[in-house]
DNA sequence: GTGGCGCCTCACGTCGCGTGAGGGTCAAGC
DNA sequence: GCTTGACCCTCACGCGACGTGAGGCGCCAC
């Protein structure tokens, strides 16, 4: 009868020689014969058994359980059926795993920093690369800028949406106060200014009342800031600037 | 701030104390504090991290990758995608394994036990087998395959015995017709083909007459299928193929 | 003050092999 | 007949994620 050596069997079944040695050691698959020189010799029956082992192993069954199963004196068809059942349920598990990974991926992706496209979608044309570049040029070396950059780096789309919502709310408060005819030095406008300051301090960089004044002046001196306010409501830039100064005065006392 | 000891944390998360020790040792989860007596003290933040560890571990990621991932050094999405790919390929492998088991079962149940060499052929010898990729390509993602997998998953021994009996009966009918000298386009052969189709439709997956043609062609074009039939009766593969086409023609009218 | 439980730190065991080290065997070519 | 190189053998240690004691200290209740 034909026999095979470890190397041949290994190639045939896609396992390593070491694996065959191991199976021999633990008595899972002891070759039926040895050559004069001590070479392991595998027969047909050994190969059949190895085939079963390989299948069960792919199900991640512990080897000693595989041995018990194979030594249980069952017939081949029963093994095949049981293996099939086991593979199917393992397939279910793996599908579940993939689904879990997909969920994890989706969570991670939605936590990813927002892309430029998403930013534009949120903030419209005001968010332009040229402004970005210029602002970088002008403020890039300041601590406030660095701090802001550090913080916003990890902002997700959801974070930015929240920022925008907060901004909108503050602006709406300014506009409402202005339309009610209240002066920029009035309670409502000053409160809105304080919310504005806190918003920036929370979201971007530490901002005290003195620094807030500087920002406020920018709103009337830098035409781009001015424009974004004036587009919302004529005279709003100046109104916001005055409200911020009044608020800072109030807190200076 | 409230803290927890190893035992409490272990109970909370369903892990062992030893596991927490291990995570401490390898730096995956080092508790934020120690009591005067050296007890590990876990804070809220520690628990949050453990929660993440547990989740990632369920995805069978190696612990050092989990650590890298949580320490933010590397991209979580990248890790997850890699893991997903790995699991997917295991899924593919197992799908192919089911197909192989089915082929082996079919052989066994038509009373022609496969020899080791044939087994190896049936199971694709290793990983680079040309059939393997092709079979997966061809069937792995199809609805029919999924449906078949879903249905047969719960088949009992008795079910399989019934399947075998039905199969044998169909084959016997084909053989009888052929031996009587009837053409494959004859009534008896076509009837057998129809029974064959219904058998598969009942037991495995929806199979209309058009799809049945495809299957029939496979019986002559795929040597594995061909061999099963040819072993029963020389020329049977072609005969069955022709009978199925004739039957489909008949039902197309 | 005395159980009993929980915590600590070693430190070795487990499973399914991988990966050498050190040495014998076999068929082929010179 | 002798070398070469592929193949085989037997140790024996390593890994990854813990399990499982051993020996000893800390804490709380009775």
């Amino acid at each position: 009868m034909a026999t095979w050596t470890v190397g041949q069997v290994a190639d045939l079944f896609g396992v390593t020689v070491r694996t065959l040695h191991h199976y021999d050691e633990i008595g899972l698959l002891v070759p039926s014969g040895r050559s004069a020189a001590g070479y392991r010799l595998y027969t047909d029956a050994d190969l059949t058994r190895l085939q079963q082992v390989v299948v069960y192993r792919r199900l991640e069954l512990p080897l000693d359980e595989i041995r018990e199963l194979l030594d249980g004196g069952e017939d081949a068809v029963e093994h095949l059926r049981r293996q099939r059942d086991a593979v199917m349920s393992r397939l279910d598990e793996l599908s579940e795993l993939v689904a879990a990974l997909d969920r994890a991926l989706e969570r991670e992706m939605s936590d990813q920093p927002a892309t430029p496209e998403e930013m534009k979608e949120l903030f419209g044309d005001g968010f332009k690369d040229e402004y970005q570049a210029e602002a970088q040029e002008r403020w890039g070396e300041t601590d406030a800028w660095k701090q802001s950059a550090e913080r916003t780096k990890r902002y997700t789309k959801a974070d930015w949406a929240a920022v925008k919502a907060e901004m909108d709310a503050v602006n709406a408060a300014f506009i409402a106060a202005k339309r009610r005819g209240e002066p920029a030095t009035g309670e409502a406008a000053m409160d809105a200014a304080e919310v504005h300051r806190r918003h920036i301090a929370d979201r971007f960089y530490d901002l005290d009342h003195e620094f807030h004044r500087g920002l406020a002046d920018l709103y009337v001196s830098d035409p781009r800031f001015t424009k974004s306010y004036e587009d919302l409501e004529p005279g709003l830039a100046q109104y916001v600037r005055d409200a911020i100064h009044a608020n800072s005065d109030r807190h200076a006392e």
Side-chain angles (χ1 to χ4, degrees), chain A residues 63-132:
Chain A
L63 296 185
D64 54 353
E65 277 185 37
I66 297 182
R67 189 179 42 206
E68 284 172 27
L69 269 171
L70 294 183
D71 292 347
E74 291 183 30
D75 94 324
V77 177
E78 266 176 75
H79 281 298
L80 289 172
R81 260 200 294 266
R82 201 208 330 279
Q83 286 171 345
R84 190 178 194 287
D85 288 349
V87 178
M88 291 305 296
S89 66
R90 181 68 185 146
L91 268 173
D92 281 353
E93 285 175 35
L94 286 184
S95 307
E96 186 40 47
L97 223 171
V98 169
L101 279 164
D102 283 342
R103 285 196 296 275
L105 263 169
E106 198 166 335
R107 268 201 309 278
E108 279 304 321
M109 305 271 271
S110 64
D111 276 353
Q112 282 302 88
T115 65
E117 289 80 70
E118 287 169 342
M119 295 291 278
K120 275 175 194 162
E121 181 190 321
L122 273 172
F123 291 98
D125 287 343
F127 184 81
K128 285 215 179 127
D129 297 342
E130 47 188 295
Y131 292 165
Q132 287 292 100

Side-chain angles (χ1 to χ4, degrees), chain A residues 180-198:
Chain A
R180 278 199 306 273
E182 293 183 26
T185 54
E187 193 79 12
M190 287 198 300
D191 286 351
E194 180 62 14
V195 172
H196 177 257
R197 191 188 64 81
R198 290 216 181 128

Side-chain angles (χ1 to χ4, degrees), chain A residues 129-251:
Chain A
D129 297 342
E130 47 188 295
Y131 292 165
Q132 287 292 100
E134 192 198 323
Q136 169 76 37
E137 197 61 18
R138 217 163 134 189
W139 309 108
E141 289 307 310
T142 66
D143 284 347
W145 176 271
K146 285 179 198 157
Q147 194 179 24
S148 171
E150 187 55 36
R151 280 200 213 167
T152 57
K153 196 169 65 186
R154 280 182 240 289
Y155 279 15
T156 67
K157 189 178 173 182
D159 290 329
W160 281 114
V163 167
K164 178 168 159 46
E166 289 167 22
M167 278 287 205
D168 288 349
V170 172
N171 289 337
F174 277 127
I175 294 172
K178 182 164 185 298
R179 287 192 182 160
R180 278 199 306 273
E182 293 183 26
T185 54
E187 193 79 12
M190 287 198 300
D191 286 351
E194 180 62 14
V195 172
H196 177 257
R197 191 188 64 81
R198 290 216 181 128
H199 172 52
I200 291 176
D202 282 352
R203 292 293 188 172
F204 299 97
Y205 49 87
D206 296 338
L207 180 65
D208 61 20
H209 289 100
E210 268 323 295
F211 208 99
H212 203 193
R213 288 177 197 273
L215 193 58
D217 291 345
L218 218 58
Y219 290 170
V220 293
S221 67
D222 185 318
R224 279 179 311 243
F225 280 115
T226 312
K227 181 171 185 332
S228 61
Y229 278 108
E230 294 302 301
D231 283 354
L232 285 176
E233 173 91 1
L236 189 60
Q238 186 66 45
Y239 189 88
V240 168
R241 185 253 167 214
D242 292 347
I244 289 175
H245 272 276
N247 181 56
S248 291
D249 289 344
R250 174 172 68 165
H251 280 86

